[in-house]
Amino acid sequence: QVQLQESGPGLVKPSETLSLTCAVSGYSISSGYYWGWVRQPPGKGLEWIGSIFHSGSTYYNPSLKSRVTISVDTSKNQFSLKLSSVTAADTAVYYCARPDSGSFLLWGPGTLVTVSS
Amino acid sequence: DIVMTQSPDSLAVSLGERATINCKSSQSVLYSSDNKNYLAWYQQKPGQPPKLLIYWASTRESGVPDRFSGSGSGTDFTLTISSLQAEDVAVYYCQQYYSLPMYTFGQGTKLEIK
């Protein structure tokens, strides 16, 4: 079955760039679907960060758009998130997920990223 | 942006009783072209990613117990758990995908046992 797995540093310094990768297994990204990132600050709700189509078209949350880049690497069957100029407010569990016709059926287990010096 | 507002923020219900969670969108999420409401419900337990329960506002995802049901149309939606079980303690979120591929979630409703 299709599985998603996030990876990346668990600690990022303020003002630096957060970088995460989502490895996809059981399905070829180049075959289709949107692929996305959602985050959840500790004890708070879910926030959609952005999505990328398999062709590379991207869509970002307007509140984060100036700092976010999502890219896809079909050769490695993975997609990535970069969030620049991070602050403590960016501390969160970051999930990669796949929306199927809009609702998110598939999720990675999530990875906690802490922004701290 | 479509803003999703859930009520209440928290809810305590006795085992076996009905639990009702509401979700209101700032604009209609009903597409006239296909007459579908672009609204989903999720359940999230501590330390786990969200689990999709309901999509198209009322279609239960495979494997979801039939005590979970979704209703509503346009801007007002409801998730109902007909007979609360201990394993239903969780935070529940609604999500609109009318503006896909851009999405917004409600703030969440914490469901506990009374």
Side-chain angles (χ1 to χ4, degrees), chain A residues 34 38 40 44-48 51 59-60 62 95 99 101-105 107-109, chain B residues 1 40 42 44 47-50 52 55-56 61 93 95 97 100-103 105-107:
Chain A
Y34 285 96
V38 175
Q40 184 170 38
K44 297 188 177 180
L46 302 166
E47 180 181 34
W48 171 74
S51 298
Y59 305 85
Y60 300 132
Y95 296 101
S101 301
S103 54
F104 290 87
L105 177 60
W107 296 75
Chain B
D1 292 8
Y42 300 84
Q44 187 180 33
Q48 298 181 16
L52 178 64
Y55 56 97
W56 302 130
E61 174 60 27
Y93 295 92
Q95 174 232 338
Y97 45 102
L100 71 88
M102 301 173 73
Y103 315 91
F105 293 89
Q107 81 276 17

Side-chain angles (χ1 to χ4, degrees), chain B residues 24 28 30 36 38 42 50 53-55 65 71 73 76 92 99:
Chain B
K24 188 175 184 67
S28 176
L30 173 63
K36 288 183 175 181
Y38 283 53
Y42 300 84
L53 297 176
I54 304 281
Y55 56 97
S71 62
S73 184
D76 293 280
Y92 293 84
S99 56

Side-chain angles (χ1 to χ4, degrees), chain A residues 35-100:
Chain A
W35 304 86
W37 291 94
V38 175
R39 72 179 182 178
Q40 184 170 38
K44 297 188 177 180
L46 302 166
E47 180 181 34
W48 171 74
I49 299 171
S51 298
I52 187 165
F53 197 47
H54 67 97
S55 61
S57 300
T58 52
Y59 305 85
Y60 300 132
N61 186 321
S63 68
L64 298 169
K65 187 175 183 177
S66 63
R67 299 193 292 129
V68 174
T69 302
I70 297 176
S71 59
V72 64
D73 186 338
T74 54
S75 66
K76 295 182 178 179
N77 214 40
Q78 64 187 33
F79 60 104
S80 300
L81 168 70
K82 291 187 185 300
L83 181 65
S84 64
S85 305
V86 297
T87 69
D90 295 309
T91 293
V93 174
Y94 286 76
Y95 296 101
C96 58
R98 189 184 82 178
D100 293 349

Side-chain angles (χ1 to χ4, degrees), chain B residues 9-93:
Chain B
D9 289 333
S10 63
L11 180 64
V13 175
S14 301
L15 290 173
E17 296 299 305
R18 178 184 301 260
T20 300
I21 298 170
N22 301 300
C23 176
K24 188 175 184 67
S25 57
S26 59
Q27 67 183 72
S28 176
V29 297
L30 173 63
Y31 252 118
S32 56
S33 59
D34 59 10
N35 201 36
K36 288 183 175 181
N37 287 284
Y38 283 53
L39 188 286
W41 288 97
Y42 300 84
Q43 175 193 68
Q44 187 180 33
K45 297 181 179 180
Q48 298 181 16
K51 174 187 175 182
L52 178 64
L53 297 176
I54 304 281
Y55 56 97
W56 302 130
S58 61
T59 301
R60 202 178 300 115
E61 174 60 27
S62 175
V64 173
D66 60 8
R67 63 180 181 273
F68 290 91
S69 63
S71 62
S73 184
T75 61
D76 293 280
F77 300 90
T78 300
L79 174 69
T80 301
I81 306 172
S82 60
S83 178
L84 189 70
Q85 305 299 303
E87 61 265 31
D88 300 335
V89 169
V91 180
Y92 293 84
Y93 295 92

Side-chain angles (χ1 to χ4, degrees), chain A residues 13-37:
Chain A
K13 290 183 169 53
S15 80
E16 295 190 344
T17 296
L18 176 160
S19 296
L20 295 175
T21 295
C22 181
V24 180
S25 59
Y27 185 84
S28 173
I29 284 183
S30 58
S31 296
Y33 285 106
Y34 285 96
W35 304 86
W37 291 94

Side-chain angles (χ1 to χ4, degrees), chain B residues 102-114:
Chain B
M102 301 173 73
Y103 315 91
T104 47
F105 293 89
Q107 81 276 17
T109 295
K110 185 175 185 179
L111 177 59
E112 299 174 313
I113 304 293
K114 185 186 291 183

